[in-house]
Amino acid sequence: MITEPDKENEEETISGENNPVPALLMCPPRFYDVSYVINPWMRGNLGKASLSLAMQQWQKLCRVLSGMAHVLLVEPVAGSPDMVFTANAGLAHAGIVVISSFYYPERQNEETHFRRWFTDAGYRVADLPREIPFEGEGDALFSSNGLRLWVGYGYRTRESSHAILRDLWAIEVAGLHLVDPRFYHLDTCFAPLKDGSLLYFPPAFDKTSVARIEAYYPPAQRIVISEEDAMSFACNAVNIGKTIVLNRISSELECKLKVRGFQVIQVELSEFLKAGGAAKCLVMQLTPE
Ligand code: ARG
């Protein structure tokens, strides 16, 4: 079932390439909880997320993003508490969506619900075999010019998925090996920004991957973040035009982003950090800007 919070934008198409207003997919946290442990953030937090506070924080994020984008909603499902992290629904590009093939059985039930949403929305839907895990936009991010797809691997997504993505869209795919379990998805430690720069936390990657990143982004385009900001999910940022929406960050990083001309909107997302996610994980991009 599809519901839309913003009736004013109803007439706009959601998968059209020429849509000037970005479309985002979110999922209300009605059944959100930390009810299993599949990453280090969840350890010690079982049952500790406040549902009412999570709802307030999510609504604030949704309100902020609705001012800049067309936010579409997928109905949450009882028993799939992590469905709220729609970045893991799959990867959508050029009218095709690759539905995630979740690594952990705990999240595999979500696949059916996301697949149904995309089918109803008119996407061409592609699936990966179960033995090739791929966790969607959580591990796959386009460079700002849209020419290169960076794909993380090591914890969830398998490297063998990369060639499938490359062939499906005829795009350049560059793998990045994640080596710190706290940063188990690429979008927890790597954020290409719309001005061509990159926000990232180098210790989350192996040496070869850091070299690959540095060969692509010249020094002036690299914004290296501190461990403290990385632990606050600073890279887990939603960037729409000149605006960046993220969890709380240090004033030093906020300043660096402002100097680059970005407006920075911080939304407290403490309840979602308990499951290992923040702003970007709660959102899936449906259209390229
Ligand atoms: N508990 C979820 C998991 O471990 C959090 C997912 C966060 N999503 C993301 N795109 N980083 O799968």
Side-chain angles (χ1 to χ4, degrees):
M1 187 196 284
I2 306 169
T3 47
E4 300 185 33
D6 186 357
K7 292 289 168 202
E8 285 168 23
N9 289 333
E10 222 167 32
E11 71 284 357
E12 287 171 280
T13 58
I14 55 170
S15 57
E17 289 285 350
N18 299 322
N19 187 352
V21 179
L24 309 174
L25 181 66
M26 295 182 72
C27 177
R30 272 204 299 287
F31 303 109
Y32 173 65
D33 194 6
V34 181
S35 53
Y36 43 76
V37 176
I38 56 171
N39 69 51
W41 301 87
M42 300 175 100
R43 199 167 299 128
N45 277 323
L46 281 173
K48 292 219 176 119
S50 154
L51 188 54
S52 59
L53 185 54
M55 189 56 89
Q56 281 173 36
Q57 294 178 343
W58 182 90
Q59 278 168 345
K60 169 96 192 283
L61 179 69
C62 188
R63 234 184 354 261
V64 167
L65 294 172
S66 295
M68 300 176 263
H70 188 184
V71 178
L72 302 172
L73 301 182
V74 52
E75 279 293 306
V77 175
S80 289
D82 274 337
M83 205 176 152
V84 65
F85 298 113
T86 51
N88 299 124
L91 180 69
H93 179 65
I96 304 175
V97 64
V98 176
I99 299 294
S100 285
S101 168
F102 284 98
Y103 179 74
Y104 287 110
E106 285 86 339
R107 294 199 66 183
Q108 290 170 0
N109 274 343
E110 298 175 34
E111 294 166 11
T112 314
H113 307 296
F114 286 130
R115 188 180 298 106
R116 187 175 312 125
W117 190 93
F118 281 101
T119 304
D120 290 350
Y123 281 78
R124 192 182 130 201
V125 175
D127 286 298
L128 290 173
R130 167 67 58 229
E131 64 277 12
I132 304 186
F134 168 66
E135 298 208 350
E137 221 182 69
D139 266 330
L141 298 165
F142 280 97
S143 58
S144 58
N145 61 13
L147 297 178
R148 174 181 286 206
L149 182 65
W150 294 102
V151 186
Y153 66 94
Y155 291 104
R156 304 292 182 86
T157 294
R158 283 290 159 276
E159 212 180 349
S160 48
S161 66
H162 298 189
I164 299 176
L165 303 173
R166 181 183 304 128
D167 296 347
L168 181 68
W169 282 299
I171 46 166
E172 183 190 334
V173 173
L176 294 174
H177 191 185
L178 301 169
V179 294
D180 182 331
R182 297 171 301 174
F183 306 104
Y184 58 95
H185 274 146
L186 185 63
D187 70 359
T188 63
C189 51
F190 184 93
L193 301 180
K194 293 289 185 310
D195 69 348
S197 63
L198 175 76
L199 200 58
Y200 73 124
F201 181 57
F205 301 92
D206 74 359
K207 269 200 186 131
T208 312
S209 302
V210 171
R212 190 166 290 161
I213 293 169
E214 293 179 353
Y216 190 83
Y217 292 96
Q221 301 292 72
R222 297 179 210 144
I223 311 169
V224 171
I225 66 163
S226 66
E227 177 158 15
E228 194 197 337
D229 276 322
M231 294 293 284
S232 299
F233 278 73
C235 288
N236 205 244
V238 182
N239 177 200
I240 297 175
K242 280 281 171 200
T243 305
I244 297 181
V245 184
L246 35 53
N247 184 49
R248 301 251 171 261
I249 52 167
S250 66
S251 44
E252 190 198 345
L253 179 57
E254 183 185 17
C255 194
K256 276 190 196 167
L257 294 170
K258 283 186 171 166
V259 164
R260 288 184 171 266
F262 288 110
Q263 179 201 11
V264 178
I265 303 179
Q266 300 183 40
V267 179
E268 174 75 55
L269 293 166
S270 63
E271 298 320 288
F272 298 101
L273 260 65
K274 293 173 182 171
K280 164 71 183 61
C281 303
L282 293 166
V283 169
M284 180 181 178
Q285 308 261 354
L286 296 176
T287 43
E289 271 191 87

